[in-house]
Amino acid sequence: MTSRKPDEPLARNSRLRLVRPRALATARRAVTTRRTRPAPRPPEGTPPRAELARQARHVLADAVRIARWAAVERGTGLAARPGSETVPAQERAATALGLTPGQVRAGWDRARLAGLVELHGDTARPGWRLRAWDRDDSAVLRGWVALFDAWSLVHPAPAGVEASAVAEVVEAVPQVLSLLQLSQGPVPVPSLLDLLGQRVEELREERCEVPDAADAPGRDAGSGAPEGLPALLDWALEGLAAVGALTLDPGREGRQATLTPLGNWAVWVKLEQICVAAQSPAGNIEQSAEDMLRGCARLTPGPARDEYRAWLAARTLSSAVSELLAVARGEDALLRGLAFEALRVVGAPAEAEVRAALAEPPLRPYALLWLAEYEGADPDDAQEVLTREEATWLWVDTAAAVADHGESDLLVRHLDSAVQGTVPALLDEVRAVGHPRTVQVLVALAAAHPDPALAKAVRRAAFQVHTGGA
């Protein structure tokens, strides 16, 4: 009987690919008994998607014009604040488009939040949604929903209000939107204020917070609601009106709010996502990010994305992104990969925090792949952005996920996804990359591989890493 020598190159019939979410999915168990249900229909009276897309295009008309102008003026930065050297670019855009500088700044912010443009330093590039804007209603609606999700970034919060009070109101706004959706008509602002105050109190009780006027300046000790809650409600309603989700009109009891057709549809979609999660086998809607990802590990990619969307719909995006990245920083490599899959569903609102993760070595390869795909790279080619060292680190991390959660034959097959041309080269670079799970991965690979000579070489490498030898 013969076996391959450890220094012989592995046979390859095609260009090897780095791990992607597909490779991480090899550690999952496919679910074959998942329940299904008919696709839900929107509430009666909801305009057809083509009409909703037309309304979304109208809301984002200035943002699209500015994005197209910036795409032509590729060296122009528009994300500046007054006093910076790129403010003249805003003035040039205002002159070219017949807008005021303030309208240009507002439209630019909307274009970024809706994924119409992508920033690379001071260079603006058209996003995929901008390229598909005139022909793809789904892309238009996705872009508008991204803006709707980021409403709190569109309109500055009132000055002098605690950041914690602002966060409470942002977290409570979905309840206000649900009331507006159920009312199917205008609701007086005072009624919304009562509901908002009740929801803020509930959130405090869930966190076991007891309001204390002496210890918590800036709060109303009588109601337990943040001081200045009416101003915060006005801010929230004006922010939602600015993105086209609702209208504010005079009424008998003062101002009243009404969802627009777009806003009514968006709230219904998010409620449906929550219902889907509640009826799913995983039922992850109320779980923490870590437990949700563990529940999704056994799902195939399509159903897993549905779970991610439903979980995200029940939370503010900023807190959800932070929670997912916190899980990615943990020790479980499978959850690290799944966290970035969930962040792919988030899209544009996650870009800033994913870019910040580039500074963290364990997250950097995942963040680079996320950003490459976000910027339009084909998923199969995104690995080109990784250095050899980053690619090797990611190979070890994915091997750790497979070793912890997969079958031994999956780990053997994972060997062929390495970028190195020979086993000795792979082992040399794996030893040098310094991944904390290197020894465990090599031991598991040696135990699983059917080739005795190769297994012996891998065990020797594991021993050398363990003892610190060459």
Side-chain angles (χ1 to χ4, degrees):
M1 183 176 70
T2 60
S3 61
R4 182 169 54 243
K5 295 179 181 179
D7 59 347
E8 288 179 346
L10 296 175
R12 287 167 172 78
N13 298 321
S14 62
R15 187 184 181 283
L16 298 180
R17 296 182 298 172
L18 248 185
V19 290
R20 266 266 306 130
R22 290 193 194 95
L24 289 171
T26 60
R28 298 174 175 167
R29 297 188 305 273
V31 172
T32 59
T33 58
R34 185 178 178 85
R35 291 179 295 175
T36 60
R37 66 184 186 125
R41 294 184 178 181
E44 186 176 353
T46 302
R49 287 178 67 84
E51 172 59 20
L52 291 171
R54 186 195 67 77
Q55 295 178 18
R57 287 186 175 97
H58 176 73
V59 170
L60 286 163
D62 284 350
V64 170
R65 293 178 64 206
I66 293 166
R68 286 175 172 160
W69 182 87
V72 174
E73 302 286 331
R74 281 180 176 267
T76 302
L78 286 173
R81 297 298 177 201
S84 69
E85 61 182 6
T86 56
V87 168
Q90 298 171 358
E91 296 173 352
R92 291 204 312 275
T95 301
L97 300 173
L99 302 171
T100 67
Q103 288 174 321
V104 169
R105 284 193 296 273
W108 178 252
D109 285 341
R110 292 184 180 199
R112 289 191 301 108
L113 294 171
L116 297 171
V117 293
E118 300 162 1
L119 290 182
H120 304 265
D122 288 335
T123 302
R125 296 179 186 171
W128 71 268
R129 284 181 183 142
L130 183 63
R131 294 190 289 270
W133 195 254
D134 293 330
R135 56 180 170 76
D136 189 339
D137 289 347
S138 293
V140 172
L141 290 173
R142 288 193 199 101
W144 183 83
V145 169
L147 180 66
F148 170 72
D149 288 338
W151 67 266
S152 60
L153 303 178
V154 172
H155 196 58
V161 180
E162 290 181 359
S164 60
V166 173
E168 286 174 336
V169 169
V170 171
E171 190 173 356
V173 158
Q175 196 90 356
V176 173
L177 291 170
S178 296
L179 174 62
L180 288 169
Q181 203 260 352
L182 291 171
S183 299
Q184 298 182 344
V187 177
V189 170
S191 298
L192 298 177
L193 182 61
D194 289 342
L195 175 64
L196 185 65
Q198 293 171 16
R199 181 56 181 150
V200 168
E201 290 181 9
E202 290 172 359
L203 292 171
R204 294 230 190 111
E205 290 175 2
E206 291 171 5
R207 293 193 298 267
C208 300
E209 291 183 6
V210 179
D212 187 332
D215 297 334
R219 297 187 183 277
D220 185 338
S223 66
E227 185 178 317
L229 190 62
L232 284 170
L233 175 61
D234 287 342
W235 162 69
L237 294 176
E238 289 165 5
L240 290 162
V243 300
L246 56 79
T247 58
L248 292 168
D249 303 293
R252 291 181 181 179
E253 303 179 39
R255 289 198 306 172
Q256 55 188 18
T258 309
L259 285 178
T260 63
L262 267 177
N264 189 68
W265 169 79
V267 174
W268 171 79
V269 166
K270 293 187 177 298
L271 289 173
E272 274 299 310
Q273 289 174 341
I274 293 172
C275 291
V276 167
Q279 296 179 18
S280 72
N284 294 301
I285 190 65
E286 296 181 355
Q287 301 297 322
S288 66
E290 180 174 348
D291 290 340
M292 180 273 293
L293 293 172
R294 289 192 189 281
C296 290
R298 65 187 182 88
L299 302 179
T300 52
R305 282 191 293 271
D306 291 339
E307 294 287 339
Y308 302 150
R309 291 189 185 98
W311 186 85
L312 291 164
R315 290 158 176 77
T316 59
L317 283 177
S318 59
S319 64
V321 170
S322 298
E323 195 174 345
L324 288 169
L325 285 172
V327 175
R329 294 184 181 99
E331 296 181 357
D332 194 320
L334 176 62
L335 296 188
R336 188 162 24 256
L338 294 178
F340 276 87
E341 285 192 33
L343 289 169
R344 285 178 173 85
V345 174
V346 177
E351 181 186 4
E353 291 202 51
V354 172
R355 287 195 184 277
L358 292 173
E360 303 177 49
L363 303 187
R364 181 176 174 81
Y366 293 94
L368 285 169
L369 292 177
W370 189 99
L371 290 166
E373 293 179 36
Y374 173 73
E375 292 165 3
D378 186 280
D380 289 336
D381 298 329
Q383 65 270 11
E384 299 292 343
V385 301
L386 301 179
T387 65
R388 181 89 161 205
E389 183 178 1
E390 291 161 351
T392 303
W393 195 99
L394 188 54
W395 185 91
V396 178
D397 207 48
T398 305
V402 176
D404 289 343
H405 302 277
E407 304 294 335
S408 58
D409 61 325
L410 297 177
L411 187 58
V412 173
R413 289 203 297 270
H414 180 59
L415 186 63
D416 287 330
S417 71
V419 295
Q420 291 78 11
T422 66
V423 170
L426 170 64
L427 296 178
D428 286 344
E429 294 185 31
V430 163
R431 286 197 297 263
V433 80
H435 193 288
R437 294 291 304 279
T438 298
V439 172
Q440 294 94 324
V441 164
L442 293 178
V443 169
L445 180 59
H449 207 284
D451 186 325
L454 189 147
K456 182 178 179 181
V458 174
R459 278 195 298 272
R460 184 184 304 114
F463 177 77
Q464 290 171 343
V465 174
H466 178 65
T467 60

